[in-house]
Amino acid sequence: MNSPATDAAPRLLAGKAEENMLTSFFVLYKTARILEQNNATFKSRLSGFYEIFKGLASEHSRISIKIISGRYFVNEQMVRFDDQGLSGAASVVAEWKMLGVAGAHIESSVTLEELSRFFTFISAMRPSEENIESLSGKLKNHGLPSIQLLSFKEVGSEVPFENKEVRQKVRAAARTTFFQAVSVVEEVVLSAAKDKGINASKTRRVVHSLIDHITRDESSLIELTAIRNFDDYTYAHSTNVCVYSLTMGVRLNLDRPRLSQLGFSALFYDIGKVKLSTDLIRKPGAYDEDDWLQMQRHPHLGAKTILRNMKLDVHTARAARGAFEHHINNDFTGYPSLRYQQRAPDLFSKVISIADTFDALTSGRVYLKKAMGPDVVLKKMSYQMKVKFDPFLLKLFSNIIGIYPAGTLVLLTTNEIALVLTNNDTDRSRPYIKIVGDEKGLLADPLWTDLSQLEHAGRKIARQIDPERYGLDLKSFVLEDK
C-alpha cells in the first residue's frame, strides 16, 4: 500500500517516465531535421519514443506536452528537465515562440507511421515561414488528426504547480513522509540500543517514500530540515541527513536501487552513538579531549551495530561502510584512522559527510556553542574542500541549498517577513515565498508569492533573519497549512 505522500505526489510533479518521454521527444525532433524517415537512426529513435509514449498513454486518452513560463509539463505534471542538455530543447522552443506554438496534444491512438510523418513535418518549420494557424491546417491536410498543436492562448500563462492550493498539498505530503522517517529512525535507534533486530524492510519503505517525493519536489522536504526545536533532535538529524543525501543522489542521476542504498545508509550512519554514554551525547558544553576520544569511537561502533543487528545484504554492507567512513576526510585525515591501506571513502560516505556537517553546523547541536547560518556554513565548508570534502559534491550540494534555502526566514525590502518555499532555478535571488508578517505584525492569511513574477518586481530579499532573535517560531511557519 502506498503512503499518503506517494499517493499525492504523482498528481503534482512528473516522474522519470515523463522526463524520459520529453527528452526523447526533442531528441527525435532534432534528429528529424537532419535525417530522412527511412534512416536507421531516425527509425530507432522514433521506435524508442513510441515505446515510452505508449507506456504513458496506456493510462490516458492523450498525452499533452506544454511549455508554460519556461517550464515543461506533461499532462499537467511539471517535469524537471534540462532543456540545454542532450535534447537541445531550448533552441527548438525559441523557434516555437516565434510561431506561436506552446505545445501539442497527441492522442493515445496515434500510430508509429503518423508520428513519423508528424516529426518530419514539424521539424521543417521555420519561424519566417509559418504561424500556428497555417501549421494546424497543414497538419490536418497531412492526415494527422491525432496530433494538435497548441497556442499560447490555449495553454495559458499560469504554472499549475505554482497554485497555492497545489503547493499546500505538496507540503502536506512532504510532512507525512518526513515524520514517518523520523519515527522509523527513533524505532531503529531504540532497537539498536537494546541489541534487538532492526526492521530493515520498514526502513526501506520509508526511504522509497522519500525518494518518490524528492524526485518530484525536493524543496518541500528541504524546508522541513530547517526545523530545529524537536523534542529529541537526534532522530530528526538523521532524517535531515537522509533528505540532503537523497537530494544529492537524485541530482547525480543515481538509479533507484542505488538511491535506496544511499537513503538506507544515511538513516543509519550515526547509529554507533547509541553505544556511547547519554551524558556525552547530551553534554551542553564544549567537549574536552577525553570527550572527543570517546566520540571518535562511534563510526566503528556504528558499523559493528549494523552488521550485528541486520541480515547481511547490499543495503546492510553499504550502511556499515557509510557509518564507518563518514568522518574520514578527503585527504584520509579524520577518524577512525586507517592503519594499513589508505582506501578512498565510498561515494555514499562522501555524500553523507557533507550532509552531516552542514546539518550539524546549522542546527547548533549540543556540542557546538551556537547554530550558524546556511551561507556561513557553506563558506566554512568551502574553505575545507581540499582537505575534508569532495569539491564536486560540495559544489553540487551548494547548488541544492541555494542562496536562500527552503525553510529560511528572510526580510524583504518592503519590511515584510517571509518563509522561503522553493528556489527559482533561473534566478536564485528571487524564490517562491510565503509572506508571514509585516510592520504591523504576523498576517492572519499569509501571502504566497513568486518573486520571479513581474508584478512582484518591487519586492526583493534584503537578508536572512534569525527567527529566535525576533521571537518567531519557525516551526509553526513551516508546519502550518495556511
Side-chain angles (χ1 to χ4, degrees), residues 72 127 131 171 220 253 312 384-385 413 454-455 458 465 482:
Y72 294 79
N131 57 61
R171 295 172 80 235
S220 54
N253 288 321
L312 185 60
Q384 301 170 321
M385 248 187 334
T413 52
L454 287 175
E455 60 263 35
I465 60 173
K482 291 192 292 181

Side-chain angles (χ1 to χ4, degrees), residues 333-377:
T333 58
Y335 59 90
S337 59
L338 302 177
R339 222 177 257 181
Y340 303 109
Q341 183 182 0
Q342 289 192 336
R343 181 177 179 180
D346 179 57
L347 170 65
F348 290 3
S349 304
K350 293 179 180 180
V351 167
I352 290 169
S353 174
I354 290 171
D356 173 48
T357 302
F358 179 81
D359 195 67
L361 294 178
T362 53
S363 66
R365 292 170 64 203
V366 289
Y367 50 84
L368 297 171
K369 290 183 178 180
K370 67 174 185 176
M372 303 179 191
D375 55 334
V376 176
V377 171

Side-chain angles (χ1 to χ4, degrees), residues 119-328:
F119 278 101
T120 300
F121 164 76
I122 196 172
S123 64
M125 293 190 309
R126 293 295 181 270
S128 60
E129 298 173 0
E130 305 285 354
N131 57 61
I132 192 167
E133 290 80 11
S134 62
L135 287 170
S136 298
K138 286 186 176 181
L139 269 181
K140 292 180 180 179
N141 293 335
H142 274 69
L144 297 171
S146 298
I147 304 171
Q148 174 194 349
L149 294 178
L150 301 174
S151 67
F152 287 104
K153 184 177 180 180
E154 291 170 300
V155 166
S157 59
E158 181 180 351
V159 176
F161 187 62
E162 291 184 351
N163 176 280
K164 174 183 173 181
E165 288 71 26
V166 173
R167 282 184 177 272
Q168 287 174 325
K169 290 179 182 178
V170 174
R171 295 172 80 235
R175 289 201 301 271
T176 299
T177 303
F178 184 86
F179 287 110
Q180 282 176 346
V182 173
S183 177
V184 166
V185 172
E186 181 177 10
E187 182 180 313
V188 165
V189 168
L190 294 176
S191 295
K194 299 175 182 177
D195 272 332
K196 291 184 177 180
I198 292 170
N199 190 335
S201 297
K202 188 174 183 179
T203 306
R204 288 181 199 174
R205 285 196 296 274
V206 80
V207 167
H208 280 276
S209 292
L210 288 168
I211 293 169
D212 288 339
H213 200 98
I214 288 168
T215 54
R216 296 181 176 98
D217 179 52
E218 65 189 38
S219 293
S220 54
L221 276 174
I222 290 177
E223 180 190 347
L224 292 164
T225 66
I227 301 173
R228 307 300 178 193
N229 55 334
F230 285 90
D231 294 335
D232 191 329
Y233 189 70
T234 303
Y235 311 129
H237 172 61
S238 291
T239 306
N240 290 351
V241 171
C242 184
V243 168
Y244 289 137
S245 298
L246 283 173
T247 304
M248 291 176 72
V250 169
R251 295 286 187 101
L252 288 167
N253 288 321
L254 297 183
D255 58 24
R256 195 172 184 88
R258 285 191 291 171
L259 284 173
S260 176
Q261 294 160 24
L262 173 59
F264 193 85
S265 301
L267 282 181
F268 292 142
Y269 82 100
D270 238 1
I271 201 168
K273 289 181 180 177
V274 302
K275 302 301 180 183
L276 298 177
S277 162
T278 303
D279 291 339
L280 174 67
I281 299 299
R282 298 183 182 278
K283 184 173 180 177
Y287 280 9
D288 60 28
E289 186 176 349
D290 183 60
D291 292 333
W292 277 116
L293 287 174
Q294 291 301 310
M295 178 59 72
Q296 288 174 9
R297 297 173 56 222
H298 82 268
H300 181 250
L301 293 172
K304 287 178 66 175
T305 301
I306 290 167
L307 293 173
R308 185 168 54 238
N309 292 281
M310 292 189 213
K311 179 181 177 182
L312 185 60
D313 60 15
V314 66
H315 280 73
T316 304
R318 297 300 291 264
R321 185 170 180 183
F324 185 81
E325 293 182 340
H326 73 277
H327 281 297
I328 297 176

Side-chain angles (χ1 to χ4, degrees), residues 75-123:
N75 281 4
E76 313 307 326
Q77 297 174 318
M78 190 169 76
V79 182
R80 295 188 182 279
F81 177 67
D82 179 11
D83 62 3
Q84 303 289 338
L86 174 67
S87 70
S91 61
V92 174
V93 172
E95 292 187 3
W96 283 9
K97 277 187 177 181
M98 298 178 73
L99 293 159
V101 176
H105 288 319
I106 306 176
E107 301 294 332
S108 60
S109 58
V110 71
T111 66
L112 189 67
E113 170 59 26
E114 287 173 329
L115 281 173
S116 178
R117 286 191 284 126
F118 168 72
F119 278 101
T120 300
F121 164 76
I122 196 172
S123 64

